[in-house]
Each structure stands twice: as structure tokens, then as C-alpha cells.
Amino acid sequence: MAERKPIESWLTDMDGVLIHEGVPIPGADSFLKKLRESDKPFLVLTNNSIYTPRDLHARLARMGLDVPIENIWTSALATAKFLDDQRPGGTAYAIGEAGLTTALHEIGYVLTDQDPDYVVLGETRTYSFEALTKAIRLILGGARFISTNPDETGPSAEGPLPATGSVAALITKATGKDPYFVGKPNPLMMRAGLNAIGAHSESSAMIGDRMDTDVLAGLEAGMETFLVLTGLTAPEDIDRYPFRPSRVVDSIADLVDRI
């Protein structure tokens, strides 16, 4: 295997890597502190499109983790960037929370249920049957179907919750139209994030707790990949996949000295 360049930029997932059910994972604060002190470009990524970067900055700060707003990259931001590149100044019918609607407003999109260019499905804790019905009819009428991410379930203190991918499957069943998923594992989200911080894939690393999103996205974007075992993936799960991370570590604490 060809030797990789030294790691100059870091991308890391949030849930399962830095925090778990609202509690910081040991070593996360040290990792982030060393990143800030090193002046190396970095991003904290999440497929969750509910919150704006400002919201996430405040939530992490309450847990004792200091992540500047400009170092947070969400699937909602990646989706907005994609739409702005594809059809600047377009229109969309959006199902989601402030993280998605704010990102769309900031690129100059008009949110409407009258003949929109796109139906954009994001994460929300209160999916409305009326809103889903409207989305289905708009897609059948010609709107293009976009989804912020393919995650089928999300974490909660009570257990798994249905997430964007599950709801997208419902819409697909009703319309026969598959969405274009922008978030992980689509390398588009990773490459847009790397561009945002002026980083290059050959000298960047991705840290995640999921093989099917984090590791796959990093691999397909050409990055070095680290799998941590503090989230959804157990050691015995790794061999079920036809690809492997560059390295498996117990937690983010094991990577502090790599910065």
C-alpha cells in the first residue's frame, strides 16, 4: 500500500465520536483543544439536519466542548450548497427544522408549496402526514426529490427513532421516485466540507463510529479513515463489510497524539 501523506486536516463525526446521548466521550475535549491549538483545519460533521451550526455550537458548549461555528458542517449545509450549485435561486418545499430551512434561506432559496423545483426532506421529530402527502403530490407533479441524508434510524435516550432514510423510503414507495441523498456516505458532503476549509483529501482524515456512513464516505472521498468503537459499530461488525477503515481505535482519546 502506498504511504499516505501526513494528516494536515481532520474531519470527525459528532454523535458516537465526540458525544454519546448528550454526554461528552472521554478524550473529546482534549482532542478538540489540541486541534484548535494546532491551527490545523478541521470540521465536526453530522448527518442530522435539525440544528443550525449556531445551535450545535451552543449545545456542545453546554457539554464543555468548544467547537467554533465555522468548524461545524451539517447535511443541511451540504444540501444547500448542492442545490445552490445545481440551480441557483431556486425554490423548494422543505420538510425539516431550522437547520434545513435556515440553510436554504441563506443561499437565497424561496420555500414554497407551489410548483417548487425541489422537494427537500430533512430530519424532524414531528413528521406531519399532511406535509408528507403534499411532498408526494409535488414529486408526482414533477418536483425533484432530495434528501439530506439516508440514515434510517437516529439515537435517543429511549432507543432508536425513525430518521430521514425511513421517511424517504415511504415517499419513494408512494411515488416510485428515489431521492438524491446528499449526506454521508455521499462523498459529495465530504468534498464540499474539505473545500470549505481549504483542505485536500490526500492529507486529511475522517473519524467516525459507523462503517456504512462515516468510514465509507471518507474512503470514497480519498481520505484516511479511523473507526472508533464508542458508537454504533462493534469490533465483530467490521468484517461484515467489504471495505475496512485505515485504523480501528477504542475512542477519540487514542487520536489526540496524532494531531
Side-chain angles (χ1 to χ4, degrees):
M1 182 180 296
E3 186 174 339
R4 292 190 61 93
K5 294 183 178 180
I7 299 170
E8 298 296 337
S9 309
W10 291 85
L11 275 62
T12 176
D13 187 37
M14 187 170 65
D15 291 308
V17 179
L18 301 177
I19 61 174
H20 180 67
E21 294 183 0
V23 178
I25 290 171
D29 54 346
S30 300
F31 182 82
L32 292 168
K33 182 174 184 290
K34 194 164 182 183
L35 269 180
R36 294 193 308 273
E37 292 172 347
S38 73
D39 287 330
K40 289 183 177 179
F42 75 96
L43 282 178
V44 173
L45 294 90
T46 177
N47 257 1
N48 190 316
S49 64
I50 290 178
Y51 304 107
T52 66
R54 187 178 299 277
D55 295 333
L56 290 171
H57 166 77
R59 289 168 66 88
L60 290 168
R62 287 196 294 270
M63 300 177 205
L65 300 179
D66 182 10
V67 181
I69 293 171
E70 61 269 21
N71 294 103
I72 296 173
W73 187 246
T74 71
S75 64
L77 293 176
T79 299
K81 175 70 169 63
F82 170 74
L83 294 180
D84 193 33
D85 289 342
Q86 291 282 304
R87 189 176 290 260
T91 59
Y93 177 68
I95 298 176
E97 302 286 347
L100 178 59
T101 56
T102 300
L104 292 173
H105 277 136
E106 287 180 348
I107 61 164
Y109 257 54
V110 173
L111 302 185
T112 179
D113 62 359
Q114 300 298 311
D115 193 27
D117 297 317
Y118 298 98
V119 167
V120 185
L121 177 67
E123 199 80 45
T124 175
R125 294 288 183 261
T126 55
Y127 285 110
S128 155
F129 185 80
E130 181 181 355
L132 295 177
T133 300
K134 187 175 291 291
I136 288 165
R137 291 172 180 169
L138 290 171
I139 291 167
L140 289 172
R144 302 154 187 85
F145 185 17
I146 303 290
S147 183
T148 57
N149 69 85
D151 296 29
E152 295 170 352
T153 60
S156 79
E158 296 78 26
L161 296 171
T164 313
S166 296
V167 180
L170 182 155
I171 295 175
T172 294
K173 193 71 173 178
T175 61
K177 302 289 186 182
D178 291 318
Y180 181 70
F181 292 110
V182 176
K184 299 176 292 180
N186 190 341
L188 180 76
M189 179 172 174
M190 316 298 284
R191 294 189 182 280
L194 289 171
N195 290 339
I197 59 174
H200 301 284
S201 59
E202 64 268 21
S203 58
S204 298
M206 174 65 196
I207 311 166
D209 70 309
R210 293 182 61 150
M211 290 287 291
D212 57 345
T213 55
D214 304 319
V215 171
L216 182 57
L219 176 72
E220 292 191 346
M223 303 165 65
E224 192 164 350
T225 56
F226 293 89
L227 177 74
V228 297
L229 301 177
T230 47
L232 292 175
T233 304
E236 58 271 20
D237 297 332
I238 298 170
D239 284 338
R240 294 194 295 107
Y241 293 89
F243 53 89
R244 294 186 62 83
S246 306
R247 188 176 169 198
V248 180
V249 297
D250 289 332
S251 77
I252 191 75
D254 297 310
L255 297 175
V256 175
D257 291 338
R258 291 293 303 265
I259 298 172

